[in-house]
Amino acid sequence: MKRDLKIIGKPTRKLDAEARVSGEAVYGHDIVLPNMLHGAILRTKHPTAEILSIDTSKAKALPGVVCVLTADDVDVNNISYKGDHPILKKGEVNCIRDEIAAVAATSREIAAKALALIEVEYKVREGIFDPFAALKKEAPQLNRFASKEQGKNIADSFHYEHGDLQEQKEKSTCVVSQRYTLPRVTHCCMGTSAVTADYSRSTKRLTLYSLSQVPFLFQRDLAKALRMEPSNIRIIQPVIGGGFGSKLDMHPFEPICALLSMQTCRPVQIVFSREEEFIASPTRQPMVIDLTTGADADGKFTFREVKITKDNGAYTSWGATTPFVMMQTFSSLYQIPACRFDSYAVYTNNVFAGSFRGYGNPQATFALERNIDLMAMELGMDKMQIRLLNANFAGEETGQKLHFRSCGHKDALQIVSDKANYKNRQKSNGTGRFRRGIGLASMLHVGGGAKIYPSDGCGTIAKFDDYGYLTIISGASEIGQGSETVLAMIAAEELGVSIEKVRIINSDTDIKPWDVGVHASRTSFIAGNSLLGALSILKIQLSAKAVALLGTDLDDLIFEDDQIRSGRTGKAVKIGKVVRDIHFKQPHELCTASYYYEPDSEYQDGAFKGNVSSAYAFAAQAIEVEVDTYTGNVRVVDVHVAQDVGKILNPLGLAGQIEGGVVMGLGYALTEELIASEGHVRNPNFHNYKLPTASDIPEIHFHPIETSDQEGPYGAKGVSEAPLIPTAAAVANAVSDALGVEIFSLPVTPEKILQALKEKSV
Amino acid sequence: MNFEMITPRTTGELLQALANNQGSRVRIGAGYTDLILELKGLKCEETPLVINLADLTDPKFTHIEKTDAGIRLGALVTAGKVIIDASIQTELPVLCKAASELGSRQLRHRATLGGNLCTASPAGDIAAALVALEARCEILSADGTLRTLALTDFLVGVRKTALRQDEVLQSVFIPTRKSINKHLLSDFLKVGTRRSMEIAVVSLAYQFELDAEEIIRHAGIAIGSVAPTVKFVSAAGEFLVGKKFSSIGAVAADKFAAMVCAEATPISDIRASAWYRREVLYNISRGIFDK
């Protein structure tokens, strides 16, 4: 269906832009409720210790303190994906984040003072901070709630395979094995974690002003933790100052805040300081990837064999399931006849990881795309040619049964190569202080949701008021990604209603219909299709009345400028008038519709095979760097991004996602690392956690590819995780191109570069 | 974060405040870019007391003054003001560059020269430039007397200065070196992982005076983040004096770099290893003479 689009594809300012920049937006930190108390959490001093005693008497005696809780005061269930995480720790602590006690007081200052008055007697234990040490026979069991099915310190494991590995190994003339080490990085949301809990003594209902990006799953998890009916918990989402996956899990501070409110029957708010945010909010999974890949004499890929050892930390979050995404990259990025994948999330006494934009894929892609460069060098092949030779194609069904109905992989590679002038780049001659190089990398990610729950759907309720204003009640949450704006654009496109007359309600579980939540780059795709369903119902309703009012037939109707017009006569009627006529005259109906969209993707089988997403996004990046061989500093000169986005919905929002993603990827590539030693976080501040600044960011050239996916709204695919996924690989490949030295771990620090240069020269 | 504050408006009131308030709880505040962080992290019994210099209008503290004898910079001059001052741009370019590398535009607008010195960080950007320029500190005491001290003697250790409890840094003075037809060659090389909001992992400040024949007549060199304090590297500077800049070749450059590094006693911390600091200091010192 080819049609002229009036709104979709045109740069449209975010609906909340003005509220955000003027300070009008109400973030979690801005919420003030009558009689509200301020909560604070006492965390352990030592990463691993026995707790001999906790004395809260002095804290309780402090004027202004209303409630002090320890594990002894509450009767709750463990939280987390594996149920291995006590909300308040009893008897022992296992990582530096561990919550020992919580206070609610009349001011933040008093709450902080009260924490200092709680006396805890510790008996320090030795911890294990290296996953390989935790896997040893003599290691003690680190999490006493662990299932131990697969070994005492293995929290979770995944096995996947397809093809005949042995046969493909025999075909291989080039086999490259390499170990890759990926660091712990964190989201650095500009808004720190915050929650406000409001429990009503009379209704026994709990309202939580929560920054969760998955409110319905959060409601269910919180109910389980607190042993409540989910329906007695109402989640209201204030404006969120950055999510990026950090708000996919429920974290202990949230049920703790609820418990404080339930105890005091007053609203309680907990807001993290920046230091607390660095120490106690989730990270990307640190991991070691042992990868072996093969190719035949022509450079056709033959097999991949990968073993991943992840530092799970002390408890298990959704982040432990990132292999689910990583295996897609190993099994299906480029054509690959055989693949064997094993991963283990190993308990340690480190801070635990969570989920983070890309969900394991930046790590997997780093290893894979680095290995491709190594194979090309060994085969004496051009690094672009080997990629093009093996690229994915439209119509391909991969070994994992992913079905690429549309595919811009080859185009993406070709475009970045051309735009970056890769072929004719100046080859570094290995002398001179500053040396330049270009690196390539590509990626595959879900682009049409990901069916990892029984449903990957989203509900929408749409209603017109009597004045022609449209309210969209969407299950999908806005966490800054711009989905509200896209939904309003879709409504404007379909019904001709102006964007200013569209309101989006999407932040209250008592009102909005169900949705899985913000993850897997799914919102525009899934919520967009859901909205299209609801709008088509409204359109039928409006059209029937308009036909009568205009004295014409259905095919003649044009929805435009808040009016419905007859194409033949030019006669028009305002949408508000049509709605009023439906409402106040026959058939006496309200102009409302509800729709639930379930994508046509499949729930994978026990062997992780099946078409998990309705569409797949592909992207390639070519990144040029200049390395200062005196200091090891890498200056990123140019970034070219080509991404298969299916169809551009809002070019402004899209550019924001691409640029933001690349910046996040550059930080991962070059500067960011949450440094831990002996279980302590050594750099819990922006001084020493090196988030890139504006002055470190080069020109980012974006070349969108429109493959018009058959299932996506207007052909669109998910876009938002993709731009950071290949970035680190491309940067490391560029450093290799510039210097002829290979870096196998992130971040690619100046120190690693100087060391590698030194080793090369001796 | 909780603290008390006294805000003197005149030098007289300041001296009074210094006389009346001494002890470990007293801090002097100017731009607050470091002090706020320090106060946040402070875990002490007593409530800290800040003597706030923000409202002080005495030009000795706030102005840049140029005379035949030299340039005097008040302790309350901000990094931002240093950058746009014409006489600093022409006569003390190393200071101008160092000030422009400090933090970010927002920080440079607040951060003062006096604060950068009194914080006594081994990584101080302005401190490194002023050490290279052999600046002298002018220190006012509660009794009104003024003493001067070489900046290298002022900086005594990590976050330690020679300032006594009843003293405040009023200004720094950089004497003019008398020479004819001189032209200056200078730079402030700051090495870190980011290009702004960075604390130097290694820094090198230098300002050379060359005569018409390009002979180096004077060389002021300072190194940062490689010792407990910013250090003046005198031997390496003297090595250069009398040499023609453009004819310093690889051998002399290596010797110079080795002499600079001989003054460095770097440590390993989360920002970098001692090995890296030494390696980079050598490379950038040598790099001054790259053709």
Side-chain angles (χ1 to χ4, degrees):
Chain A
M1 175 191 61
K2 193 89 180 159
R3 62 189 245 223
D4 288 336
L5 296 171
K6 297 188 185 73
I7 311 288
I8 295 295
K10 306 287 182 300
T12 305
R13 200 173 73 170
K14 284 174 99 173
L15 298 187
D16 58 352
E18 198 163 331
R20 289 254 187 173
V21 298
S22 66
E24 206 179 84
V26 177
Y27 289 84
H29 314 66
D30 300 323
I31 288 172
V32 179
L33 297 177
N35 293 318
M36 187 172 84
L37 298 171
H38 297 271
I41 293 170
L42 181 72
R43 297 178 193 279
T44 178
K45 255 189 201 164
H46 309 283
T48 46
E50 210 175 303
I51 299 177
L52 301 176
S53 67
I54 308 175
D55 182 354
T56 60
S57 55
K58 283 183 191 155
K60 281 177 173 157
L62 184 71
V65 171
V66 180
C67 176
V68 181
L69 292 181
T70 67
D72 287 336
D73 303 311
V74 297
D75 185 18
V76 290
N77 289 326
N78 279 357
I79 62 171
S80 97
Y81 153 66
K82 288 280 179 186
D84 61 0
H85 194 176
I87 295 169
L88 283 161
K89 280 62 179 176
K90 191 179 167 72
E92 62 174 15
V93 286
N94 284 299
C95 86
I96 197 68
R97 269 184 207 160
D98 275 1
E99 299 80 359
I100 297 174
V103 171
T106 50
S107 77
R108 250 175 229 181
E109 290 72 22
I110 295 173
K113 233 178 229 168
L115 290 188
L117 292 173
I118 298 174
E119 289 166 3
V120 185
E121 215 184 326
Y122 300 93
K123 186 179 169 203
V124 174
R125 283 185 194 160
E126 233 173 83
I128 294 184
F129 307 105
D130 171 15
F132 293 101
L135 285 172
K136 284 191 180 148
K137 229 187 243 146
E138 64 271 23
Q141 185 182 336
L142 297 179
N143 185 311
R144 64 187 153 116
F145 304 102
S147 71
K148 293 189 286 184
E149 279 161 24
Q150 302 150 51
K152 64 187 164 202
N153 284 327
I154 294 179
D156 208 1
S157 71
F158 285 82
H159 172 79
Y160 166 84
E161 61 182 60
H162 79 249
D164 187 334
L165 201 69
Q166 201 46 48
E167 185 186 87
Q168 292 300 326
K169 279 186 177 176
E170 283 158 16
K171 273 190 190 169
S172 308
T173 52
C174 163
V175 174
V176 173
S177 291
Q178 187 57 51
R179 170 168 282 195
Y180 297 93
T181 307
L182 289 311
R184 190 178 277 108
V185 295
T186 189
H187 308 69
C188 299
C189 299
M190 288 295 104
T192 57
S193 300
V195 64
T196 307
D198 186 8
Y199 181 74
S200 159
R201 193 195 301 266
S202 55
T203 65
K204 307 274 185 280
R205 291 202 69 194
L206 174 67
T207 302
L208 223 72
Y209 298 82
S210 159
L211 306 182
S212 173
Q213 54 189 88
V214 289
F216 289 99
L217 303 182
F218 185 91
Q219 178 191 45
R220 184 200 64 186
D221 290 351
L222 187 63
K224 192 174 170 204
L226 301 178
R227 299 177 183 159
M228 286 177 74
E229 275 288 326
S231 301
N232 281 331
I233 297 174
R234 179 185 184 186
I235 308 296
I236 296 176
Q237 299 163 275
V239 176
I240 294 172
F244 312 113
S246 65
K247 293 155 176 74
L248 206 69
D249 274 280
M250 181 171 70
H251 304 292
F253 77 96
E254 291 160 319
I256 286 173
C257 193
L259 287 165
L260 288 169
S261 180
M262 291 163 85
Q263 287 278 324
T264 58
C265 292
R266 288 172 69 173
V268 179
Q269 182 170 79
I270 292 179
V271 171
F272 278 15
S273 69
R274 181 55 67 186
E275 288 72 17
E276 195 171 18
E277 183 77 7
F278 271 111
I279 291 166
S281 64
T283 71
R284 197 183 285 290
Q285 284 71 31
M287 61 180 70
V288 171
I289 300 178
D290 289 303
L291 175 64
T292 302
T293 61
D296 66 18
D298 299 328
K300 276 295 271 184
F301 295 161
T302 47
F303 76 94
R304 290 178 188 149
E305 198 171 15
V306 56
K307 185 180 165 198
I308 299 176
T309 309
K310 310 195 332 160
D311 183 347
N312 193 55
Y315 309 102
T316 310
S317 75
W318 280 120
T321 66
T322 47
F324 185 83
V325 173
M326 286 191 276
M327 72 171 70
Q328 287 167 22
T329 289
F330 288 111
S331 77
S332 303
L333 175 59
Y334 301 96
Q335 302 163 49
I336 191 83
C339 173
R340 189 188 165 93
F341 173 99
D342 286 285
S343 83
Y344 305 91
V346 183
Y347 284 115
T348 65
N349 293 116
N350 288 318
V351 293
F352 50 97
S355 66
F356 195 163
R357 191 180 192 178
Y359 214 75
N361 210 349
Q363 295 97 311
T365 302
F366 176 73
L368 181 57
E369 285 285 354
R370 284 255 57 213
N371 239 47
I372 291 174
D373 263 25
L374 299 180
M375 285 202 294
M377 285 188 272
E378 198 172 307
L379 287 163
M381 271 182 88
D382 179 77
K383 291 170 188 169
M384 177 51 76
Q385 280 314 315
I386 196 170
R387 287 178 165 87
L388 287 173
L389 180 70
N390 291 284
N392 296 115
F393 56 91
E396 182 182 354
E397 192 184 56
T398 74
Q400 206 186 346
K401 306 284 177 228
L402 310 183
H403 187 197
F404 301 152
R405 291 186 286 210
S406 63
C407 173
H409 191 204
K410 207 173 246 182
D411 284 350
L413 285 162
Q414 196 66 63
I415 288 169
V416 294
S417 167
D418 293 348
K419 298 285 181 182
N421 201 15
Y422 180 76
K423 233 184 188 162
N424 304 314
R425 71 191 187 282
Q426 242 184 342
K427 279 296 289 175
S428 157
N429 60 2
T431 59
R433 174 172 178 177
F434 297 98
R435 296 177 208 166
R436 287 199 174 198
I438 299 181
L440 303 166
S442 68
M443 74 99 227
L444 153 72
H445 203 69
V446 292
K451 197 160 284 185
I452 51 173
Y453 305 98
S455 164
D456 190 30
C458 172
T460 304
I461 300 165
K463 71 168 185 113
F464 268 113
D465 72 7
D466 292 333
Y467 314 101
Y469 282 65
L470 179 70
T471 299
I472 297 167
I473 306 170
S474 174
S477 305
E478 170 72 42
I479 66 164
Q481 81 277 42
S483 74
E484 283 175 355
T485 311
V486 163
L487 294 181
M489 289 171 73
I490 290 174
E493 184 69 49
E494 294 301 313
L495 299 179
V497 59
S498 45
I499 284 183
E500 301 72 50
K501 292 188 178 176
V502 180
R503 276 85 190 251
I504 316 274
I505 306 286
N506 55 0
S507 58
D508 186 341
T509 55
D510 269 7
I511 296 169
K512 68 178 185 176
W514 194 84
D515 173 72
V516 172
V518 180
H519 77 120
S521 304
R522 67 185 280 282
T523 305
S524 287
F525 190 100
I526 306 283
N529 276 338
S530 177
L531 175 63
L532 282 170
L535 295 177
S536 69
I537 298 170
L538 285 183
K539 197 166 184 176
I540 290 168
Q541 211 182 356
L542 291 170
S543 298
K545 185 55 110 180
V547 162
L549 288 171
L550 297 171
T552 183
D553 48 49
L554 277 178
D555 298 343
D556 182 40
L557 296 179
I558 297 166
F559 286 69
E560 211 170 61
D561 301 330
D562 297 307
Q563 293 179 336
I564 304 172
R565 201 174 72 233
S566 160
R568 273 199 303 273
T569 66
K571 210 173 132 193
V573 58
K574 286 192 171 157
I575 289 177
K577 162 77 176 154
V578 180
V579 175
R580 286 195 297 278
D581 270 29
I582 295 171
H583 184 182
F584 297 114
K585 295 178 184 171
Q586 284 301 333
H588 289 298
E589 281 176 0
L590 292 172
C591 216
T592 62
S594 74
Y595 190 83
Y596 187 70
Y597 170 73
E598 180 66 40
D600 65 352
S601 48
E602 299 165 5
Y603 205 63
Q604 287 179 331
D605 62 20
F608 299 107
K609 286 187 180 149
N611 193 31
V612 71
S613 183
S614 283
Y616 296 88
F618 297 87
Q621 296 185 4
I623 295 181
E624 183 171 16
V625 302
E626 181 181 82
V627 188
D628 181 345
T629 57
Y630 286 8
T631 63
N633 279 107
V634 175
R635 184 169 74 88
V636 180
V637 181
D638 234 347
V639 177
H640 287 276
V641 180
Q643 187 170 319
D644 172 5
V645 299
K647 163 81 190 165
I648 300 169
L649 298 175
N650 181 4
L652 277 184
L654 178 59
Q657 287 284 16
I658 300 296
E659 287 170 19
V662 167
V663 169
M664 213 170 226
L666 291 175
Y668 189 50
L670 290 168
T671 56
E672 289 182 47
E673 180 169 13
L674 198 64
I675 300 166
S677 62
E678 298 298 300
H680 289 273
V681 175
R682 301 296 179 188
N683 56 341
N685 52 62
F686 283 124
H687 254 150
N688 290 318
Y689 184 91
K690 303 288 185 186
L691 202 64
T693 69
S695 53
D696 299 299
I697 303 307
E699 281 284 315
I700 297 166
H701 310 277
F702 175 43
H703 316 288
I705 299 168
E706 296 191 311
T707 51
S708 199
D709 188 80
Q710 67 181 60
E711 181 69 13
Y714 308 95
K717 300 179 176 186
V719 300
S720 55
E721 291 169 280
L724 85 83
I725 291 169
T727 309
V731 167
N733 285 346
V735 168
S736 157
D737 191 49
L739 303 178
V741 300
E742 307 302 330
I743 309 283
F744 301 117
S745 66
L746 293 178
V748 180
T749 59
E751 182 144 0
K752 286 179 193 168
I753 287 176
L754 277 202
Q755 259 164 5
L757 282 171
K758 196 100 186 168
E759 280 160 24
K760 191 189 169 198
S761 69
V762 292
Chain B
M1 183 174 37
N2 192 20
F3 55 90
E4 292 163 17
M5 188 174 261
I6 308 172
T7 304
R9 278 157 224 285
T10 63
T11 303
E13 285 175 18
L14 169 62
L15 298 183
Q16 194 78 51
L18 282 174
N20 296 344
N21 301 287
Q22 287 170 25
S24 62
R25 78 180 192 115
V26 180
R27 293 285 187 285
I28 293 177
Y32 294 90
T33 56
D34 278 327
L35 191 63
I36 290 287
L37 290 176
E38 192 190 323
L39 291 173
K40 261 172 90 174
L42 223 54
K43 300 244 185 311
C44 64
E45 296 292 299
E46 275 184 299
T47 310
L49 173 81
V50 175
I51 299 176
N52 170 32
L53 305 186
D55 284 0
L56 205 61
T57 51
D58 185 341
K60 284 200 172 67
F61 280 89
T62 59
H63 281 201
I64 300 172
E65 179 196 29
K66 185 177 185 277
T67 64
D68 287 346
I71 295 178
R72 175 170 285 111
L73 298 112
L76 296 178
V77 169
T78 61
K81 282 212 179 111
V82 166
I83 298 166
I84 55 168
D85 186 273
S87 52
I88 293 176
Q89 284 169 2
T90 50
E91 295 189 32
L92 311 174
V94 63
L95 177 60
C96 190
K97 178 84 189 293
S100 71
E101 296 268 318
L102 185 141
S104 64
R105 183 181 286 246
Q106 293 92 325
L107 286 177
R108 292 192 288 271
H109 187 63
R110 299 294 315 168
T112 64
L113 184 149
N116 200 265
L117 299 183
C118 293
T119 291
S121 159
D125 296 324
I126 289 176
L130 288 173
V131 166
L133 293 168
E134 293 155 78
R136 297 190 65 78
C137 295
E138 299 176 329
I139 299 163
L140 198 56
S141 159
D143 63 12
T145 57
L146 194 74
R147 67 172 175 130
T148 66
L149 193 62
L151 178 53
T152 44
D153 295 328
F154 181 82
L155 303 169
V156 297
V158 178
R159 305 207 164 264
K160 270 199 209 116
T161 68
L163 217 52
R164 291 194 289 260
Q165 283 190 5
D166 65 340
E167 289 181 328
V168 63
L169 180 67
Q170 176 196 276
S171 46
V172 294
F173 182 71
I174 298 131
T176 303
R177 208 175 300 283
K178 299 275 179 250
S179 51
I180 307 150
N181 285 336
K182 71 174 179 191
H183 77 270
L184 299 176
L185 204 71
S186 78
D187 208 347
F188 174 71
L189 305 171
K190 180 174 178 175
V191 179
T193 42
R194 288 191 291 219
R195 281 196 277 172
S196 50
M197 292 303 289
E198 188 57 297
I199 300 165
V201 166
V202 175
S203 66
L204 174 67
Y206 66 89
Q207 185 157 316
F208 302 158
E209 288 180 19
L210 277 60
D211 66 15
E213 274 74 50
E214 265 197 50
I215 306 294
I216 298 171
R217 291 298 172 196
H218 181 80
I221 302 157
I223 52 178
S225 294
V226 289
T229 65
V230 171
K231 282 191 89 174
F232 186 72
V233 190
S234 49
E238 282 155 22
F239 169 76
L240 296 180
V241 171
K243 293 191 168 60
K244 186 172 177 175
F245 183 81
S246 60
S247 59
I248 293 173
V251 176
D254 274 334
K255 185 156 186 208
F256 169 78
M259 289 173 93
V260 173
C261 287
E263 307 268 348
T265 51
I267 56 160
S268 294
D269 61 15
I270 58 166
R271 290 187 193 133
S273 71
W275 173 85
Y276 175 80
R277 290 185 154 104
R278 208 175 267 287
E279 194 78 6
V280 168
L281 183 63
Y282 185 90
N283 289 344
I284 61 174
S285 300
R286 197 179 182 288
I288 295 173
F289 307 101
D290 278 355
K291 298 297 181 284

